[in-house]
Amino acid sequence: MVTIAEVARRAGVSPSTVSYVLSRKRSISEDTRRKVEAAIAALGYHPHAGARALASNRSNVLALMVPLRSDMYVPVIMEIAMAVATEAREFEQDVLLLTKDEGTGGVRRIAGSGVADAMILMDVELDDDRVPVLRETGTPSVLIGLPADTAGLTCVDLDFEATGAVCVDHLADLGHRDIALIGESEAVYRRHTGFAARTLTGFQRGVAERGLRAVHRPCEGTYESAAGVLARILEERPTTTGFVVQNEAAIAPLLSLLRLAGRVVPEDTSVVAICPDQVALQSSPRLTSVSIPAEEMGRRAVRQAMAQLEGNRRSSLTLLPPRLTVRESSAAAPAV
Amino acid sequence: MVTIAEVARRAGVSPSTVSYVLSRKRSISEDTRRKVEAAIAALGYHPHAGARALASNRSNVLALMVPLRSDMYVPVIMEIAMAVATEAREFEQDVLLLTKDEGTGGVRRIAGSGVADAMILMDVELDDDRVPVLRETGTPSVLIGLPADTAGLTCVDLDFEATGAVCVDHLADLGHRDIALIGESEAVYRRHTGFAARTLTGFQRGVAERGLRAVHRPCEGTYESAAGVLARILEERPTTTGFVVQNEAAIAPLLSLLRLAGRVVPEDTSVVAICPDQVALQSSPRLTSVSIPAEEMGRRAVRQAMAQLEGNRRSSLTLLPPRLTVRESSAAAPAV
DNA sequence: ATGAAAGCGCTAACAG
DNA sequence: CTGTTAGCGCTTTCAT
């Protein structure tokens, strides 16, 4: 292990000077800086993370808590995690990976052990038990998703309510009068994850404003569930020509099933998905969709966390506006 | 911040005694232990990670390096990462998330800064430039995947060669004479990721041993690519009745396309996939498959890493045997 | 079975 | 612009 003392000796300066060269917390003569940097490079010096954390009371680590068994939206989680890891490095921070099943104990452990400076929490539920602990311990934190009470919290999420409305507007603009929302599984609504409910709210608002008729059906990610849901919709309301799909696992089955049912997309039936661009692009036909800005959310979360560590403690809600991209799965409603 | 000194004072013992209660490195009287534990609970004490790392020269952190942009097998990566995180906690270790794009610099940083005790690397390429750095720095490490030269390394992976052979055997046993391997994208072969090549080797060996006729075609994860590949196979060798699919993104398109081509699975055509169980189960029909034991690999990797930290420095190769599960996508070949 | 005390490597006053 | 030094909180000899 090469230490700061060895670097200092080799550069012919004191250890504190080396430290200051690294932290740029006071001005250093050009000459000294060069000598120190040369010594660092020559020795392959890396500051000892623990020693630094102990002395500075900063670990330079962000803890990221991810859902353990996310049957759904795995790619989104992955993309967020990668974005967090990448953006964190821009701030010379590392990322500690925690699973949500560590629960409140995990939050306390992180808050109490100084292993991380701030936390980023994913898969936030409306009544999330980690939130009170965050408040109580005062841990700098950013939530990806919205709990019911956001007072004093920093949250980042897609504006799902606007998303629901935007999808309706798009279909209404194309002349569709009867539309359906194929939602997340019952479990998601039951777990009180906010985004599904917010999408529904926006969807219903849009439907009311545009004077459409609509149905909403939860749907598991399986082929069977999609088949059942679609069959029921086509039976109960065969005039339905527009679909909004939120459960990305249901997209592929739905497209197959529509084909089997003799519906041609987009000539007979339009489909708008709420999913990552990647999923929309690898479907056939490529889907008109509102993308889930996973990378953007991850980046924002990191920046918000860093802002808090800089001293900004004010709470903030960042709701990213939905961006609908028209592709090949939506078109004018068929003439009656 | 509650410190060990406060716990000691409250329990009426010395700090070192508290430390020993925690580390169980020397025997403590039942009475003392209870008092200390009570104090810890009452104060909500958590040892300061940095201080501990500094004093003990152990960070209790495992670094996990994951591919940044994994167009393919995202669920597998996710499952491995979650398994690593979960298993690590069993050893009271935390997991640091690094992206592969940090490259050799990242490895050096981890090795030099004491931020982690060991590394687990995913997405290992045949000629991976991180491997020499691992050897040079002597960092305790486990590779998930196999590089070309495994000398002195600890590796964990599915036995893809046996996997290829097992798929062939299954189809041969069912009477299929002409089979096809729909592989990963060209990019994967080009990047010299070992598993694709090893699968092909096993496949070809099986084909030779069982006296079958076979074709192998790389395939991107898109619908278009799958369509092109399938069309070509059906044209060049229309007697093909058995398919082995390795690229999980190609599975859904392939099934749709077979249906469109008038092939009924499994009556006319059998499909065997190499994919996570989750993917096999959510397809329709449910797929006969060799599962990618992602969780098992993650767990094993952690155990191997811990074993190294315990002093076992001997290199080891762990090749998990393939497990083929027969589901609804394979059946006896149609009579000629 | 327990305590006292010497660091671990670094940062941040304080001093010049 | 640079050096000296006192800790940060913990582990681990050494001592009893």
Side-chain angles (χ1 to χ4, degrees), chain B residues 73 75-76 79 158 160 163 167 184 244-249 251 271-283 286-294 323 325 327:
Chain B
Y73 45 81
V76 178
E79 199 176 335
L158 172 62
F160 279 100
T163 298
C167 294
E184 291 283 355
V244 177
V245 197
Q246 178 153 39
N247 184 341
E248 69 187 46
I251 292 175
V271 174
V272 179
I274 301 169
C275 67
D277 276 339
Q278 196 195 341
V279 173
L281 287 170
Q282 77 180 21
S283 291
R286 277 180 277 273
L287 301 173
T288 292
S289 71
V290 171
S291 71
I292 308 230
R323 222 173 34 79
T325 303
R327 297 201 184 81

Side-chain angles (χ1 to χ4, degrees), chain B residues 46-65:
Chain B
H46 291 275
H48 187 285
R52 177 171 266 192
L54 182 56
S56 67
N57 209 23
R58 280 275 248 125
S59 64
N60 293 101
V61 168
L62 261 29
L64 174 68
M65 208 167 197

